[in-house]
Amino acid sequence: MEKHSLGSKVSAFLDKMIFKTRPENRICDIGGNIIDLPENYLFISLLTSDETDKLYTFNMMNIDIRNISIWPELQDFIAAAERFLEKEKWESIGSFNELEYVLEKIKSCP
């Protein structure tokens, strides 16, 4: 991987994911609070590596689902995720569609 042209980018994504998902680093990117209860924790992993896609700005987010109603970019995320799915840019590994799951989870929060 070190010799591949995208190797350093992949390593940076992996390092960020490992860092952000440690329990002590589960700080909500919306409200800034520590997410102390697992049932309130939603992690958005790598959605796209295309830096020109709007969805890129939502990569690697820790979300306390209690803060979704105050998220200023909520509608931007929903629109970008729906557009990404409509254009069939999303590829799932296996039968679980993470992007659809995250989108539905976010849309179902009050």
Side-chain angles (χ1 to χ4, degrees):
M1 186 168 84
E2 293 172 4
K3 294 179 182 180
H4 193 279
S5 62
L6 296 175
S8 62
K9 192 172 188 176
V10 170
S11 291
F13 282 134
L14 183 58
D15 289 345
K16 186 173 184 178
M17 185 181 75
I18 290 169
F19 176 81
K20 290 198 73 159
T21 57
R22 288 186 181 132
E24 66 272 17
N25 297 331
R26 292 181 182 169
I27 299 169
C28 181
D29 289 306
I30 298 167
N33 58 294
I34 294 176
I35 309 166
D36 53 353
L37 298 173
E39 60 267 22
N40 294 331
Y41 180 61
L42 179 65
F43 181 70
I44 299 177
S45 65
L46 179 64
L47 301 173
T48 180
S49 60
D50 181 355
E51 295 174 21
T52 65
D53 195 294
K54 176 65 178 165
L55 204 57
Y56 184 87
T57 61
F58 302 106
N59 282 337
M60 310 290 177
M61 286 187 70
N62 283 327
I63 296 177
D64 184 330
I65 60 171
R66 297 170 296 181
N67 292 334
I68 289 177
S69 65
I70 64 166
W71 188 12
E73 296 179 298
L74 174 60
Q75 293 308 317
D76 291 340
F77 171 78
I78 291 171
E82 288 176 342
R83 188 170 40 256
F84 206 79
L85 288 167
E86 286 169 10
K87 291 185 177 183
E88 298 181 352
K89 290 182 171 184
W90 180 256
E91 290 185 37
S92 297
I93 298 174
S95 61
F96 179 69
N97 187 319
E98 181 185 0
L99 182 55
E100 283 182 352
Y101 170 80
V102 167
L103 182 59
E104 291 307 312
K105 181 81 172 176
I106 287 172
K107 287 169 73 174
S108 70
C109 289

